[in-house]
Amino acid sequence: MKLEFPVLRHAWHGLVHVVRTQRHALWHALASLAVVGLGIGLQVSLIEWLALILAIGLVWVAEIFNTALEIACDVITKEPHPLIGLAKDVAAGAVLVAAFIAAAVGAVVFVPRFWEMWRPWV
């Protein structure tokens, strides 16, 4: 894909790098597609779409920043260092927090719908 604006080209290159090199990006992509599919299938409201989109975006932004920090740390040294290891762990923790928040948003949006669907059988 050819982009005319250098800023967009660099940003696109960064996103492609994240998706191609980060194994968790595949899980984020699958989860994002599942949420969008459920949202369409269960006909969520506009405000629920907003919450879901923000939650998905939060996880992706956290993952992208985590990847950027890992790359920057690896430029400094590939040798184990306790502070670099800690920085990477903290960044990974941010991704985990974002994922928990996204899961909570998904639960608030989807659990009541599933409960209503399954309630006749309970």
Side-chain angles (χ1 to χ4, degrees):
M1 177 175 188
K2 186 174 191 260
L3 297 173
E4 297 298 322
F5 300 102
V7 172
L8 295 178
R9 184 173 46 245
H10 296 301
W12 182 255
H13 179 257
L15 292 174
V16 168
H17 175 80
V18 169
V19 171
R20 286 186 176 164
T21 63
Q22 302 304 303
R23 63 186 168 137
H24 292 114
L26 173 63
W27 293 109
H28 298 319
L30 293 173
S32 298
L33 289 172
V35 167
V36 169
L38 280 171
I40 291 169
L42 297 174
Q43 300 177 340
V44 298
S45 71
L46 185 60
I47 194 76
E48 290 169 327
W49 271 118
L50 180 60
L52 293 171
I53 290 166
L54 288 172
I56 290 169
L58 174 68
V59 173
W60 278 102
V61 168
E63 183 64 41
I64 291 164
F65 275 123
N66 180 47
T67 301
L69 185 128
E70 287 179 358
I71 292 167
C73 287
D74 288 346
V75 167
I76 296 167
T77 181
K78 295 257 187 191
E79 298 298 318
H81 188 282
L83 292 178
I84 287 180
L86 180 59
K88 289 181 175 185
D89 289 347
V90 169
V95 178
L96 183 63
V97 169
F100 282 149
I101 292 169
V105 169
V108 167
V109 171
F110 294 125
V111 167
R113 285 181 165 75
F114 285 126
W115 177 252
E116 286 301 314
M117 289 170 41
W118 292 327
R119 193 169 58 162
W121 293 295
V122 176

